[in-house]
Amino acid sequence: MALEKTFNAAEAESRIYADWETKGAFKAGANAQRDEHFSVMIPPPNVTGSLHMGHAFNNTLQDILVRWHRMQGFDTLWQPGQDHAGIATQMVVERELAATGQPGRRELGREAFTAKVWEQKQKSGGTIIDQLRRLGASCDWSRNAFTMSGAPGAPEGEEGNFHDAVIKVFVDMYNKGLIYRGKRLVNWDPHFETAISDLEVESTEVDGHMWHFKYPLAGGETYTYVEKDEDGNTLFEETRDYISIATTRPETMLGDGAVAVHPSDERYASIVGKLCEIPVGPKEQRRLIPIITDEYPDKNFGSGAVKITGAHDFNDYGVAKRNGIPLYALMDTQGQMRADGLPYVEAAARAQAIADGSEPAPEDATEINLVPDAYRGLDRFEARKRVVEDVTAEGLAVMTEATDPRLGRAAKKAPVEPGEGGEMRTEEENLVPLVEAKKIMQPFGDRSKVVIEPMLTDQWFVATDKIVQPAIDAVRSGEVTILPEQDRKVYFHWLENIEPWCISRQLWWGHQIPVWFDDEGNEYCAPTEAEAQAMAPGKTLRRDPDVLDTWFSSGLWPIGTLGWPEQTAELEKYFPTSVLVTGFDIIFFWVARMMMMQYAVVDQKPFDTVYVHALVRDEKGKKMSKSLGNVLDPLELIDDFGADAVRFTLTSMAAMGRDLKLSTQRIAGYRNFGTKLWNAHRFAEMNNVFDSMPAAMPQPQATLNKWIVGETARIREEVDAALGNFRFNDAANALYAFVWGKVCDWYVELSKPLLQDDAPEAEETRATMAWVLEQCLVLLHPIMPFITEELWQTTTKRDQLLALTDWPTYTTADLLDAEADRELNWVIGLIESIRSARQQMHVPAGLKVPMLVTEMDEAAQGAWDRNEVMIKRLARVESLERAESFPKGTVSIAAPGASFGLPLAGLIDIDAEKARLQKSLDKLGKEIGGLKGRLNNPKFAASAPEEVVAEAQANLAARQEEADQLQAALDRLAELG
């Protein structure tokens, strides 16, 4: 069948993919010819998710490794699946219910709501699978896994035992004391009313304020406050009866347990151990709290004194735990000031007794609600406003001049008022509350977009300190390799400073925690309610309503997808898995947890190697963001350019440890690469190359054919070495240079005379070209699967799919002919040098020019004689004459064993050319000077965004390279006189 003029990716890709699936090309073990196994676990995308550039990049790299190993004959499995994504999926369903006017989650009840979630999963769960198919992902879809398969209430078609595996692990770890329930500070999303992980928190810089307040010393005590400079000279001194604190969250003052200062801060040494008064709330119940020392406060930041609200700040929590300060929770699950617990008068009295030491601090202070009646039930931000107003009205705000620059745009200057004697006071003499206008980092829920509140709640935790060591040792010993090296440091940093892992979520969609409570609060952990009831005969039990964090279940992904706890054949064969390809942002959240969990559960590593890739950014190096409008949709790119072009672009830029800067221009360029490959096959077809495909590797005699066979062996070795070391970009770029440059340009062009019917080398050249183009398809297939499969099946009749064709093993030792390699590379080098000189000197492209040669050794003479016709035609050379020396106006062109010259006198206006080059060089010099000035300016380096600095550096490098080329051309002209 004749090739079409162009490759129609939109038509071909779905057809080709369907053919692969119909013929079982992606089944585990397809094309297996050896005992070694190669298995990869897909990082499971959210079941309701859509393909984004991160997915496209991640899965392209996985697919390259999988296709490469499958073609090498490994028993290969790429295990696909999706994560139930508790909070994300629940959000989708709740929005859908609201949009369609259906009852909400609470009106439906848990059972009915989870049934709705299952409906949504079955309706949209295949979307991401279909999108991965469009990318060309060669997963064994018959083994598609789901982290909620087999859960209670799962509809028909959702059978499986992943749920059973999760529950079994929880129960086993609970019984070993590795899972426990406790009250700790967690990230709390007031919209979804659940704890969330750090990964689900987006810290964003916003305009904020820092309020400065006075905490009066108990009993009206005073002290001398002294500010000194670095040399110990006194700058300011006054008597104070208060300690000043600064806060961005005044509403949390109600729960303060202490004020902390650094042990070395001399300003407050005399009042450490004394009590101060929280300046808010009813005066008669105003609490006194201690002034303590701790290493946490920074004496150079603000006043150096920090209010400690252990139940609403992660840093404060650490100070409180170290110093035995009670943790007073102020807010409910919706972020409103609490209205439950003890009446305020009683709660304040209890808290004061604890501060005085007359009552021991309780381990759980939940019932002590220190929110005054006036604030109870208020939204936290409304409470903030009220607290600020009340403290300011009482005269306990730190005051400053209205012109204080710290006030920023938010400063409200007091009106100019008459003084006591009737004279007008100047504006500078008016004082206003010190409220700094400043940028602050605000934590938001990545899905709810509301401000996250650190909250003290009852949660389930994994005692990670008891299971972390094997995960550390495995990487340190080399049992598991993490690439690149820099990400090992991230891994160790997390694990060596690990905190207990909060694994519970206050959601309904997920694996419900298998713990039941009796009326006395006793816990019964069991896989089923019946087993729990058997542990508590005669008692009424209620199940913990919380579900497990999705990171807990996905932490079991390697063994869970292979059938554990059943000892399946797949588990025996493919575990531990070979490679995990993942993003750097989930090294701790997923990679480290899989390591800990697999060692804790089956005492084995989950994978041999972890390849950590970087981010895909926009062409200017900025992170893709909907708000910035710079998001590239991989599906739209596939529509526009085809999957192969998108895949090749991502691969060519996948330098280890370096972010990708993606642009549509680059993708268009690699689409052109596919077109070049297609056109080379059309050329071969028109020259009857595919009429009789060689049954065996050709044994050519012509120098050109020997050379290209050797180059093919060289690129095969280069690609294998690159992929074996996860240097995806090196493999892609080497293939690009080989296929476009060596094959499509040089070999096709140089072969034209040899393909003439009367040429003695015609049949040999057809056979060689057929084999070389076939090898191009094989070697390119892992990166560009669609166009290569189409060419494979269209150019000639094949017995099998390219996807299941054996990967070549030939070597340069077998195929490289040293003489042919030397001669053809000499010819190509000479032609390129002549072309370069012509281009630099602005010799008209179509003009044939004479050449001179002053010396040529025997090898060079032989190479010239055998390839003279080709050299002259491709370099546009009219003649070659010997000369004793080069006349003035000759450009010298060096080649191994020969010295050539290109006489330009009379061909170009040398003076005009010099002037043109100098003008361009001067202009570039100004641009380079400006760029260097910017980059050498310390203010620019310190204040400019990272991507702006990188862009300036790239521009400087490009301009400098251009200037170097112009200077080289100018130097050549200078030699001409």
PDB file of all heavy atoms in Angstrom, residues 104-119 152-154 508-509 512:
ATOM      1  N   GLY A 104     -28.213  17.328  49.380  1.00  0.00           N
ATOM      2  CA  GLY A 104     -26.791  17.333  49.672  1.00  0.00           C
ATOM      3  C   GLY A 104     -26.347  16.091  50.410  1.00  0.00           C
ATOM      4  O   GLY A 104     -27.147  15.194  50.732  1.00  0.00           O
ATOM      5  N   ARG A 105     -25.058  16.065  50.707  1.00  0.00           N
ATOM      6  CA  ARG A 105     -24.472  14.882  51.351  1.00  0.00           C
ATOM      7  C   ARG A 105     -25.172  14.539  52.665  1.00  0.00           C
ATOM      8  O   ARG A 105     -25.537  13.377  52.904  1.00  0.00           O
ATOM      9  CB  ARG A 105     -22.980  15.143  51.593  1.00  0.00           C
ATOM     10  CG  ARG A 105     -22.279  14.081  52.434  1.00  0.00           C
ATOM     11  CD  ARG A 105     -20.773  14.238  52.374  1.00  0.00           C
ATOM     12  NE  ARG A 105     -20.299  15.478  52.969  1.00  0.00           N
ATOM     13  CZ  ARG A 105     -19.809  15.578  54.202  1.00  0.00           C
ATOM     14  NH1 ARG A 105     -19.753  14.506  54.974  1.00  0.00           N
ATOM     15  NH2 ARG A 105     -19.372  16.731  54.660  1.00  0.00           N
ATOM     16  N   ARG A 106     -25.341  15.528  53.527  1.00  0.00           N
ATOM     17  CA  ARG A 106     -25.917  15.241  54.839  1.00  0.00           C
ATOM     18  C   ARG A 106     -27.385  14.841  54.741  1.00  0.00           C
ATOM     19  O   ARG A 106     -27.871  14.028  55.522  1.00  0.00           O
ATOM     20  CB  ARG A 106     -25.734  16.451  55.751  1.00  0.00           C
ATOM     21  CG  ARG A 106     -24.263  16.637  56.165  1.00  0.00           C
ATOM     22  CD  ARG A 106     -24.063  17.861  57.052  1.00  0.00           C
ATOM     23  NE  ARG A 106     -22.690  17.942  57.519  1.00  0.00           N
ATOM     24  CZ  ARG A 106     -21.690  18.433  56.793  1.00  0.00           C
ATOM     25  NH1 ARG A 106     -21.930  18.895  55.576  1.00  0.00           N
ATOM     26  NH2 ARG A 106     -20.458  18.472  57.274  1.00  0.00           N
ATOM     27  N   GLU A 107     -28.097  15.429  53.755  1.00  0.00           N
ATOM     28  CA  GLU A 107     -29.509  15.040  53.576  1.00  0.00           C
ATOM     29  C   GLU A 107     -29.609  13.605  53.068  1.00  0.00           C
ATOM     30  O   GLU A 107     -30.519  12.858  53.454  1.00  0.00           O
ATOM     31  CB  GLU A 107     -30.199  15.981  52.590  1.00  0.00           C
ATOM     32  CG  GLU A 107     -30.436  17.401  53.102  1.00  0.00           C
ATOM     33  CD  GLU A 107     -29.193  18.272  53.014  1.00  0.00           C
ATOM     34  OE1 GLU A 107     -28.169  17.812  52.444  1.00  0.00           O
ATOM     35  OE2 GLU A 107     -29.226  19.399  53.515  1.00  0.00           O
ATOM     36  N   LEU A 108     -28.680  13.212  52.209  1.00  0.00           N
ATOM     37  CA  LEU A 108     -28.710  11.858  51.659  1.00  0.00           C
ATOM     38  C   LEU A 108     -28.338  10.811  52.691  1.00  0.00           C
ATOM     39  O   LEU A 108     -28.894   9.709  52.717  1.00  0.00           O
ATOM     40  CB  LEU A 108     -27.741  11.752  50.470  1.00  0.00           C
ATOM     41  CG  LEU A 108     -28.172  12.384  49.152  1.00  0.00           C
ATOM     42  CD1 LEU A 108     -27.012  12.389  48.170  1.00  0.00           C
ATOM     43  CD2 LEU A 108     -29.366  11.624  48.564  1.00  0.00           C
ATOM     44  N   GLY A 109     -27.394  11.136  53.538  1.00  0.00           N
ATOM     45  CA  GLY A 109     -26.862  10.132  54.456  1.00  0.00           C
ATOM     46  C   GLY A 109     -25.688   9.401  53.824  1.00  0.00           C
ATOM     47  O   GLY A 109     -25.492   9.419  52.602  1.00  0.00           O
ATOM     48  N   ARG A 110     -24.893   8.764  54.659  1.00  0.00           N
ATOM     49  CA  ARG A 110     -23.623   8.193  54.215  1.00  0.00           C
ATOM     50  C   ARG A 110     -23.793   7.138  53.130  1.00  0.00           C
ATOM     51  O   ARG A 110     -23.120   7.155  52.100  1.00  0.00           O
ATOM     52  CB  ARG A 110     -22.868   7.612  55.411  1.00  0.00           C
ATOM     53  CG  ARG A 110     -21.477   7.115  55.057  1.00  0.00           C
ATOM     54  CD  ARG A 110     -20.659   6.794  56.288  1.00  0.00           C
ATOM     55  NE  ARG A 110     -19.252   6.636  55.953  1.00  0.00           N
ATOM     56  CZ  ARG A 110     -18.245   7.052  56.706  1.00  0.00           C
ATOM     57  NH1 ARG A 110     -18.486   7.647  57.856  1.00  0.00           N
ATOM     58  NH2 ARG A 110     -16.996   6.857  56.325  1.00  0.00           N
ATOM     59  N   GLU A 111     -24.677   6.194  53.333  1.00  0.00           N
ATOM     60  CA  GLU A 111     -24.821   5.084  52.389  1.00  0.00           C
ATOM     61  C   GLU A 111     -25.288   5.568  51.023  1.00  0.00           C
ATOM     62  O   GLU A 111     -24.728   5.186  49.981  1.00  0.00           O
ATOM     63  CB  GLU A 111     -25.797   4.046  52.944  1.00  0.00           C
ATOM     64  CG  GLU A 111     -25.868   2.778  52.110  1.00  0.00           C
ATOM     65  CD  GLU A 111     -26.738   1.708  52.754  1.00  0.00           C
ATOM     66  OE1 GLU A 111     -26.987   1.791  53.977  1.00  0.00           O
ATOM     67  OE2 GLU A 111     -27.168   0.787  52.031  1.00  0.00           O
ATOM     68  N   ALA A 112     -26.291   6.431  51.018  1.00  0.00           N
ATOM     69  CA  ALA A 112     -26.822   6.940  49.747  1.00  0.00           C
ATOM     70  C   ALA A 112     -25.790   7.827  49.054  1.00  0.00           C
ATOM     71  O   ALA A 112     -25.654   7.809  47.822  1.00  0.00           O
ATOM     72  CB  ALA A 112     -28.121   7.703  49.984  1.00  0.00           C
ATOM     73  N   PHE A 113     -25.040   8.594  49.845  1.00  0.00           N
ATOM     74  CA  PHE A 113     -24.050   9.481  49.244  1.00  0.00           C
ATOM     75  C   PHE A 113     -22.922   8.672  48.602  1.00  0.00           C
ATOM     76  O   PHE A 113     -22.498   8.969  47.474  1.00  0.00           O
ATOM     77  CB  PHE A 113     -23.484  10.440  50.289  1.00  0.00           C
ATOM     78  CG  PHE A 113     -22.392  11.321  49.740  1.00  0.00           C
ATOM     79  CD1 PHE A 113     -22.691  12.394  48.913  1.00  0.00           C
ATOM     80  CD2 PHE A 113     -21.056  11.068  50.033  1.00  0.00           C
ATOM     81  CE1 PHE A 113     -21.685  13.198  48.392  1.00  0.00           C
ATOM     82  CE2 PHE A 113     -20.040  11.864  49.522  1.00  0.00           C
ATOM     83  CZ  PHE A 113     -20.359  12.929  48.698  1.00  0.00           C
ATOM     84  N   THR A 114     -22.410   7.670  49.290  1.00  0.00           N
ATOM     85  CA  THR A 114     -21.330   6.871  48.705  1.00  0.00           C
ATOM     86  C   THR A 114     -21.819   6.132  47.455  1.00  0.00           C
ATOM     87  O   THR A 114     -21.044   5.914  46.516  1.00  0.00           O
ATOM     88  CB  THR A 114     -20.749   5.870  49.725  1.00  0.00           C
ATOM     89  OG1 THR A 114     -21.798   5.091  50.298  1.00  0.00           O
ATOM     90  CG2 THR A 114     -20.012   6.597  50.842  1.00  0.00           C
ATOM     91  N   ALA A 115     -23.108   5.783  47.426  1.00  0.00           N
ATOM     92  CA  ALA A 115     -23.650   5.187  46.203  1.00  0.00           C
ATOM     93  C   ALA A 115     -23.581   6.189  45.051  1.00  0.00           C
ATOM     94  O   ALA A 115     -23.284   5.823  43.896  1.00  0.00           O
ATOM     95  CB  ALA A 115     -25.093   4.735  46.437  1.00  0.00           C
ATOM     96  N   LYS A 116     -23.821   7.460  45.341  1.00  0.00           N
ATOM     97  CA  LYS A 116     -23.708   8.508  44.322  1.00  0.00           C
ATOM     98  C   LYS A 116     -22.255   8.640  43.846  1.00  0.00           C
ATOM     99  O   LYS A 116     -21.997   8.872  42.658  1.00  0.00           O
ATOM    100  CB  LYS A 116     -24.182   9.852  44.889  1.00  0.00           C
ATOM    101  CG  LYS A 116     -25.671   9.952  45.146  1.00  0.00           C
ATOM    102  CD  LYS A 116     -26.440  10.138  43.834  1.00  0.00           C
ATOM    103  CE  LYS A 116     -27.911  10.393  44.099  1.00  0.00           C
ATOM    104  NZ  LYS A 116     -28.679  10.495  42.825  1.00  0.00           N
ATOM    105  N   VAL A 117     -21.330   8.495  44.779  1.00  0.00           N
ATOM    106  CA  VAL A 117     -19.914   8.591  44.399  1.00  0.00           C
ATOM    107  C   VAL A 117     -19.537   7.443  43.465  1.00  0.00           C
ATOM    108  O   VAL A 117     -18.832   7.630  42.470  1.00  0.00           O
ATOM    109  CB  VAL A 117     -18.995   8.604  45.638  1.00  0.00           C
ATOM    110  CG1 VAL A 117     -17.534   8.756  45.202  1.00  0.00           C
ATOM    111  CG2 VAL A 117     -19.362   9.741  46.579  1.00  0.00           C
ATOM    112  N   TRP A 118     -20.019   6.236  43.793  1.00  0.00           N
ATOM    113  CA  TRP A 118     -19.747   5.096  42.910  1.00  0.00           C
ATOM    114  C   TRP A 118     -20.328   5.335  41.518  1.00  0.00           C
ATOM    115  O   TRP A 118     -19.709   4.991  40.508  1.00  0.00           O
ATOM    116  CB  TRP A 118     -20.333   3.816  43.501  1.00  0.00           C
ATOM    117  CG  TRP A 118     -19.459   3.166  44.540  1.00  0.00           C
ATOM    118  CD1 TRP A 118     -19.705   3.042  45.869  1.00  0.00           C
ATOM    119  CD2 TRP A 118     -18.184   2.546  44.310  1.00  0.00           C
ATOM    120  NE1 TRP A 118     -18.673   2.395  46.491  1.00  0.00           N
ATOM    121  CE2 TRP A 118     -17.721   2.066  45.560  1.00  0.00           C
ATOM    122  CE3 TRP A 118     -17.390   2.338  43.180  1.00  0.00           C
ATOM    123  CZ2 TRP A 118     -16.503   1.397  45.712  1.00  0.00           C
ATOM    124  CZ3 TRP A 118     -16.182   1.679  43.323  1.00  0.00           C
ATOM    125  CH2 TRP A 118     -15.747   1.214  44.570  1.00  0.00           C
ATOM    126  N   GLU A 119     -21.509   5.950  41.461  1.00  0.00           N
ATOM    127  CA  GLU A 119     -22.102   6.276  40.158  1.00  0.00           C
ATOM    128  C   GLU A 119     -21.188   7.219  39.379  1.00  0.00           C
ATOM    129  O   GLU A 119     -20.952   7.047  38.180  1.00  0.00           O
ATOM    130  CB  GLU A 119     -23.476   6.942  40.352  1.00  0.00           C
ATOM    131  CG  GLU A 119     -24.587   6.010  40.800  1.00  0.00           C
ATOM    132  CD  GLU A 119     -25.900   6.756  41.020  1.00  0.00           C
ATOM    133  OE1 GLU A 119     -26.036   7.887  40.476  1.00  0.00           O
ATOM    134  OE2 GLU A 119     -26.770   6.239  41.741  1.00  0.00           O
ATOM    135  N   PRO A 152     -17.141  -2.154  50.740  1.00  0.00           N
ATOM    136  CA  PRO A 152     -18.586  -2.331  50.949  1.00  0.00           C
ATOM    137  C   PRO A 152     -19.378  -1.337  50.110  1.00  0.00           C
ATOM    138  O   PRO A 152     -19.028  -0.154  50.020  1.00  0.00           O
ATOM    139  CB  PRO A 152     -18.747  -2.042  52.452  1.00  0.00           C
ATOM    140  CG  PRO A 152     -17.411  -2.347  53.045  1.00  0.00           C
ATOM    141  CD  PRO A 152     -16.411  -1.950  51.998  1.00  0.00           C
ATOM    142  N   GLY A 153     -20.430  -1.831  49.487  1.00  0.00           N
ATOM    143  CA  GLY A 153     -21.257  -0.968  48.654  1.00  0.00           C
ATOM    144  C   GLY A 153     -20.764  -0.822  47.233  1.00  0.00           C
ATOM    145  O   GLY A 153     -21.402  -0.149  46.428  1.00  0.00           O
ATOM    146  N   ALA A 154     -19.617  -1.449  46.901  1.00  0.00           N
ATOM    147  CA  ALA A 154     -19.096  -1.341  45.538  1.00  0.00           C
ATOM    148  C   ALA A 154     -20.050  -2.034  44.578  1.00  0.00           C
ATOM    149  O   ALA A 154     -20.478  -3.159  44.819  1.00  0.00           O
ATOM    150  CB  ALA A 154     -17.710  -1.980  45.448  1.00  0.00           C
ATOM    151  N   TRP A 508     -16.572  10.902  53.837  1.00  0.00           N
ATOM    152  CA  TRP A 508     -17.373   9.683  53.710  1.00  0.00           C
ATOM    153  C   TRP A 508     -16.866   8.780  52.592  1.00  0.00           C
ATOM    154  O   TRP A 508     -17.154   7.594  52.571  1.00  0.00           O
ATOM    155  CB  TRP A 508     -18.836  10.042  53.449  1.00  0.00           C
ATOM    156  CG  TRP A 508     -19.535  10.557  54.672  1.00  0.00           C
ATOM    157  CD1 TRP A 508     -19.023  10.652  55.928  1.00  0.00           C
ATOM    158  CD2 TRP A 508     -20.876  11.054  54.732  1.00  0.00           C
ATOM    159  NE1 TRP A 508     -19.947  11.173  56.783  1.00  0.00           N
ATOM    160  CE2 TRP A 508     -21.097  11.432  56.084  1.00  0.00           C
ATOM    161  CE3 TRP A 508     -21.891  11.226  53.814  1.00  0.00           C
ATOM    162  CZ2 TRP A 508     -22.310  11.961  56.510  1.00  0.00           C
ATOM    163  CZ3 TRP A 508     -23.091  11.749  54.226  1.00  0.00           C
ATOM    164  CH2 TRP A 508     -23.311  12.110  55.565  1.00  0.00           C
ATOM    165  N   TRP A 509     -16.142   9.364  51.631  1.00  0.00           N
ATOM    166  CA  TRP A 509     -15.654   8.572  50.503  1.00  0.00           C
ATOM    167  C   TRP A 509     -14.235   8.103  50.824  1.00  0.00           C
ATOM    168  O   TRP A 509     -13.307   8.898  50.893  1.00  0.00           O
ATOM    169  CB  TRP A 509     -15.678   9.392  49.230  1.00  0.00           C
ATOM    170  CG  TRP A 509     -15.061   8.734  48.026  1.00  0.00           C
ATOM    171  CD1 TRP A 509     -13.996   9.188  47.318  1.00  0.00           C
ATOM    172  CD2 TRP A 509     -15.466   7.517  47.387  1.00  0.00           C
ATOM    173  NE1 TRP A 509     -13.712   8.345  46.271  1.00  0.00           N
ATOM    174  CE2 TRP A 509     -14.601   7.303  46.293  1.00  0.00           C
ATOM    175  CE3 TRP A 509     -16.470   6.578  47.634  1.00  0.00           C
ATOM    176  CZ2 TRP A 509     -14.712   6.202  45.447  1.00  0.00           C
ATOM    177  CZ3 TRP A 509     -16.582   5.490  46.794  1.00  0.00           C
ATOM    178  CH2 TRP A 509     -15.716   5.301  45.711  1.00  0.00           C
ATOM    179  N   GLN A 512     -13.344   3.262  55.323  1.00  0.00           N
ATOM    180  CA  GLN A 512     -13.733   3.645  56.680  1.00  0.00           C
ATOM    181  C   GLN A 512     -12.853   2.920  57.687  1.00  0.00           C
ATOM    182  O   GLN A 512     -12.540   1.738  57.553  1.00  0.00           O
ATOM    183  CB  GLN A 512     -15.202   3.320  56.936  1.00  0.00           C
ATOM    184  CG  GLN A 512     -15.731   3.949  58.222  1.00  0.00           C
ATOM    185  CD  GLN A 512     -17.239   3.824  58.365  1.00  0.00           C
ATOM    186  OE1 GLN A 512     -17.927   3.332  57.459  1.00  0.00           O
ATOM    187  NE2 GLN A 512     -17.775   4.261  59.495  1.00  0.00           N
TER     188      GLN A 512
END
